[in-house]
């Protein structure tokens, strides 16, 4: 069970390309020790990869080459694969403390993250479900996807940290306390062909045969009437903030 916590998330304003860029939400790990927190933010154009990529031969050379092309590569602490950042992509993260093993809470935290996004999307008449989408970048069971065949509109990842026991935060179980950070990258109004091409270019530069398919992902604004597309990113962000203000923390 999670530790005793306030009923709602405390929403933090990280702004546009905050300190830490696409890795800005990792700062939530420390803040979530005391209360559940959430944030929404955007980052400048680039790619983000897990630490496994940084260990591959040729990574430093690829990182320098992509930076020179205007696509800097950042290394995150969570797992998964390569993902894009930039205009029309919204980042959404939740973090809170739990008692016991991360494995006992991971699925439900993913489900909660996806449920909040899906609730906000229903306001725009978009029905989205959590599922894997083969061929999409950073594929996983908890992508958010639409349509048949499924097309990915958001990718997710998690990061967990142990909380050392203290007088203020004593361990309630043998497994102790942990903070779980769940992150989503939402494709609101972006160039999916370019995003996929840059992800494929990085895989090629690192000698990886894996390739992604642009038609396995979708920019959400294309599901709306043309007259509603320009204002969609701001409207969706406002709707998601409203959902967060009324949502309980993950049970």
């Amino acid at each position: 069970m999670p530790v005793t916590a306030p009923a709602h998330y405390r929403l933090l304003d990280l702004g546009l390309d905050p300190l830490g860029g696409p890795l800005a939400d990792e700062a939530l790990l420390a803040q979530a020790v005391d209360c559940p927190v959430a944030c929404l933010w955007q980052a400048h154009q680039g790619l983000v990869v897990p630490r496994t990529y940084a260990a591959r031969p040729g990574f430093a050379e690829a990182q320098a080459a992509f930076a020179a092309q205007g696509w800097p590569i950042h290394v995150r602490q969570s797992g998964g694969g390569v993902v894009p950042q930039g205009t029309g992509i919204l980042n959404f993260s939740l973090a809170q403390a739990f008692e016991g093993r991360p494995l006992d809470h991971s699925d439900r935290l993913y489900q909660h993250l996806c449920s909040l996004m899906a609730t906000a999307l229903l306001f725009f008449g978009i029905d989205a479900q959590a599922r894997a989408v083969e061929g999409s970048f950073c594929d996983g069971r908890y992508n958010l996807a639409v349509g048949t065949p499924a097309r990915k509109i958001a990718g997710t990842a998690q990061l967990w940290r142990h909380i050392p026991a203290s007088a203020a935060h004593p361990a309630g179980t043998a497994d102790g306390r942990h903070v779980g950070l769940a992150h989503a990258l939402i494709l609101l109004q972006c160039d999916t062909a370019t995003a996929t091409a840059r992800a494929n270019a990085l895989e090629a530069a690192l000698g990886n045969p894996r390739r992604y398919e642009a038609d396995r992902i979708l920019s959400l604004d294309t599901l709306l009437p043309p007259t509603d597309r320009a204002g969609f990113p701001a409207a969706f962000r406002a709707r998601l903030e409203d959902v967060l203000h009324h949502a309980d923390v993950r049970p």
Side-chain angles (χ1 to χ4, degrees):
M1 296 293 293
V3 298
T4 301
H8 304 292
Y9 291 98
R10 180 164 61 94
L11 182 60
L12 307 178
D13 182 8
L14 297 185
L16 175 64
D17 201 39
L19 184 65
L23 312 180
D25 64 336
E26 293 179 2
L28 270 62
L29 290 165
Q31 299 188 53
V33 171
D34 296 311
C35 71
V37 291
C39 63
L40 300 167
W41 83 103
Q42 293 176 269
H44 288 304
Q45 178 176 282
L47 296 174
V48 185
V49 299
R51 289 174 292 178
T52 52
Y53 277 61
R56 295 179 183 177
F59 178 77
E61 293 79 3
Q63 193 173 37
F66 274 67
Q69 299 164 17
W71 284 82
I73 301 171
H74 305 268
V75 181
R76 65 178 186 269
Q77 299 300 304
S78 59
V82 57
V83 298
Q85 287 285 350
T87 302
I89 294 176
L90 180 66
N91 295 286
F92 169 41
S93 293
L94 306 173
Q96 68 184 96
F98 297 88
E99 290 283 1
R101 302 180 307 162
L103 185 63
D104 294 333
H105 304 284
S106 177
D107 279 352
R108 282 180 290 173
L109 185 57
Y110 269 132
Q111 291 161 5
H112 186 50
L113 181 75
C114 289
S115 176
L116 293 171
M117 291 187 287
T119 298
L121 285 169
L122 280 175
F123 178 80
F124 301 93
I126 299 172
D127 183 18
Q129 306 291 331
R131 67 185 79 170
V133 180
E134 186 177 356
S136 65
F137 59 75
C138 196
D139 187 26
R141 290 188 299 132
Y142 291 106
N143 297 316
L144 205 61
V146 297
T148 304
R151 299 178 74 182
K152 175 176 180 170
I153 52 89
T156 61
Q158 283 188 9
L159 176 61
W160 290 82
R161 287 288 182 269
H162 179 258
I163 304 172
S166 65
H169 301 288
T173 70
D175 293 305
R177 300 175 72 236
H178 295 80
V179 167
L181 170 66
H183 169 256
L185 179 149
I186 310 170
L187 306 176
L188 292 182
Q189 191 177 68
C190 61
D191 184 341
T192 54
T194 296
T196 302
R198 299 312 296 165
N200 282 334
L202 177 59
E203 298 289 9
L206 297 177
N208 192 330
R210 182 185 298 116
R211 297 293 182 270
Y212 311 108
E213 302 170 31
D215 63 357
R216 305 304 292 144
I217 64 175
L218 183 71
S219 182
L220 278 162
D221 67 315
T222 62
L223 297 174
L224 302 176
T227 53
D228 294 341
R229 293 176 185 175
F232 175 62
F236 175 80
R237 179 169 182 153
R239 176 56 51 177
L240 185 54
E241 287 180 354
D242 185 67
V243 169
L244 269 170
H245 281 307
H246 294 90
D248 291 338
V249 300
R250 192 209 66 77

